[in-house]
Amino acid sequence: MSRLLVTGGAGFIGSNFVHHVIAHTDHTVTVLDKLTYAGNEASLAGLPEDRVRLVVGDIADAAVVDPLVAEADAVVHYAAESHNDNSLHDPRPFLDTNIIGTYTLLEAARRYDVRFHHISTDEVYGDLELDDPARFTESTPYNPSSPYSSTKAGSDLLVRAWVRSFGVRATISNCSNNYGPYQHVEKFIPRQITNVLRGIRPKLYGTGENVRDWIHADDHSSAVLTILDKGEIGETYLIGADGEKDNKSVVELILQITGNPTDAYDLVTDRPGHDLRYAIDSTKLRTELGWKPTYGDFESGLAATIDWYRENEAWWAPTKDGVEAFYASKGQ
Ligand code: NAD
Ligand code: TDX
């Protein structure tokens, strides 16, 4: 049994991880989360109070971070400003949280010699051409495109430096696009699902040809637990489930599953600097640590996610109108 400190545990992937940990291990969890617009206490509802505790605070505040890290056996660091579109509008919070926040946690992990796992993204590698047979691997050079991905790249490099220079016992994982329950409606899949549920036409940026490599958040969680358990200190592991799909196909699938005409969507203003394609080669994680995903079928995972949003309107309804007003102001 271990005591995990999970930063950003009230966000999308962090809360999925906390649910996964409670269901599959006997660890206890302290969530440290600032509850920004993206954090939601309701995502942790129903979890046992004797195993999960929420501390509301900022990862960039050493006075909050230090005692929590000191009492933990391991830190799993999910907290971030995570939305590319927001980073194009107002980059500053991305620097404060993703860079200074990660630095503050690393200093605490160094001070108290606590095992650290850093959650990152495939976006640090930039993008691929649609017809490029290559996929990202652990040795692909960093080439981030947006303020979001450049701050995530910076945070990864801080972790590597704290391992090398100070002996911090850290690992890093870079995962592809996640889908599943508890994802904020600003993101692509929940935005389109909740649009359809509200009778609004889905909105595809540009031509809809951009490709993302989808993995269910629960598979991401099992991969992170595997790395915590068996990962080698100082190593980076790419997490992916061979789920490449272009955005247009995803929207068509959402329309089809919900019984709508598959061409009932709008093409809208493209995202500036929009990465064309991401694709992960997760051979290292699979062969060295023996992990494999369990959600093999994207269509049934997507159908279950649509059901979740249909059944949990109270979770997303309060944020929907504000998100749509923000996008409408940008022609999206
Ligand atoms: P999210 O925006 O849903 O959640 C982020 C959480 O962090 C929120 O609960 C928020 O309140 C909290 N937070 C933000 N700033 C904070 C601060 N200063 N102090 C404490 N808490 C703070 O994000 P997500 O999609 O769940 O992403 C989680 C992590 O996974 C991020 O590090 C992201 O880069 C990474 N990631 C995401 C994806 C994806 O597809 N969403 C893919 C790969 C990696
Ligand atoms: O309304 C939309 N229409 C649309 O076509 C939105 C919101 C997005 N898109 C496109 C842009 C991307 O090609 O869909 C794709 C996915 O967009 P996002 O959900 O914003 O995700 P992305 O930019 O790919 O980044 C995500 O995956 C990697 C997460 O938000 C990041 O945190 C993670 O690092």
Side-chain angles (χ1 to χ4, degrees):
M1 196 272 275
S2 294
R3 295 159 300 173
L4 302 182
L5 176 63
V6 179
T7 72
F12 164 44
I13 309 179
S15 65
N16 274 278
F17 179 73
V18 177
H19 283 273
H20 187 95
V21 165
I22 296 306
H24 297 283
T25 75
D26 58 2
H27 303 325
T28 59
V29 174
T30 297
V31 168
L32 172 59
D33 198 295
K34 193 177 170 183
L35 297 182
T36 67
Y37 80 95
N40 191 342
E41 208 174 338
S43 304
L44 299 169
L47 291 168
E49 280 173 24
D50 59 338
R51 290 183 62 200
V52 180
R53 165 175 71 132
L54 170 65
V55 176
V56 179
D58 190 333
I59 56 163
D61 181 350
V64 173
V65 162
D66 269 43
L68 296 176
V69 172
E71 71 183 19
D73 297 310
V75 178
V76 190
H77 174 33
Y78 287 92
E81 285 292 335
S82 69
H83 194 34
N84 275 301
D85 291 322
N86 292 345
S87 81
L88 297 164
H89 177 70
D90 180 15
R92 179 63 198 241
F94 290 75
L95 291 147
D96 292 336
T97 290
N98 301 358
I99 301 284
I100 302 299
T102 301
Y103 155 76
T104 307
L105 288 162
L106 283 168
E107 282 291 81
R110 171 189 177 195
R111 200 169 293 124
Y112 301 106
D113 188 24
V114 174
R115 171 83 170 85
F116 191 87
H117 182 70
H118 179 62
I119 303 294
S120 193
T121 168
D122 58 0
E123 297 193 20
V124 299
Y125 300 114
D127 59 353
L128 298 161
E129 293 299 327
L130 295 178
D131 59 358
D132 190 339
R135 298 191 291 171
F136 299 137
T137 71
E138 288 78 5
S139 52
T140 303
Y142 274 35
N143 188 26
S145 314
S146 74
Y148 162 68
S149 52
S150 61
T151 57
K152 290 299 292 187
S155 68
D156 294 7
L157 299 182
L158 291 176
V159 177
R160 290 185 187 185
W162 262 243
V163 171
R164 167 106 185 226
S165 299
F166 305 124
V168 168
R169 294 181 291 124
T171 42
I172 299 174
S173 55
N174 298 78
C175 188
S176 63
N177 283 63
N178 284 221
Y179 73 99
Y182 303 111
Q183 188 170 25
H184 197 279
V185 296
E186 70 187 355
K187 301 296 193 321
F188 177 56
I189 286 182
R191 182 180 184 208
Q192 313 315 337
I193 292 173
T194 54
N195 276 354
V196 171
L197 294 178
R198 283 259 167 110
I200 305 167
R201 286 163 71 91
K203 310 284 184 241
L204 273 173
Y205 293 173
T207 59
E209 69 182 336
N210 303 63
V211 170
R212 295 296 181 264
D213 188 352
W214 294 100
I215 181 173
H216 195 281
D218 202 47
D219 278 335
H220 188 178
S221 296
S222 71
V224 169
L225 273 184
T226 302
I227 297 165
L228 268 180
D229 206 25
K230 302 192 227 162
E232 202 173 310
I233 299 304
E235 289 296 309
T236 291
Y237 299 90
L238 263 54
I239 305 173
D242 302 330
E244 281 189 70
K245 296 250 173 307
D246 64 64
N247 294 339
K248 185 162 159 288
S249 304
V250 174
V251 160
E252 287 170 348
L253 204 47
I254 292 170
L255 288 164
Q256 182 206 308
I257 293 169
T258 52
N260 289 285
T262 54
D263 61 354
Y265 59 81
D266 295 328
L267 296 178
V268 296
T269 310
D270 206 354
R271 171 186 285 172
H274 194 175
D275 280 341
L276 194 49
R277 171 173 162 245
Y278 307 136
I280 287 267
D281 177 348
S282 58
T283 303
K284 177 178 175 182
L285 176 64
R286 294 177 193 231
T287 56
E288 291 186 12
L289 305 189
W291 172 84
K292 58 177 190 307
T294 57
Y295 285 77
D297 172 15
F298 178 72
E299 187 169 342
S300 56
L302 184 62
T305 304
I306 293 172
D307 286 343
W308 188 88
Y309 281 91
R310 196 181 273 120
E311 288 156 16
N312 290 278
E313 187 166 351
W315 183 89
W316 57 266
T319 51
K320 180 67 182 167
D321 291 346
V323 166
E324 288 309 311
F326 172 72
Y327 282 127
S329 73
K330 300 193 299 155
Q332 294 178 321

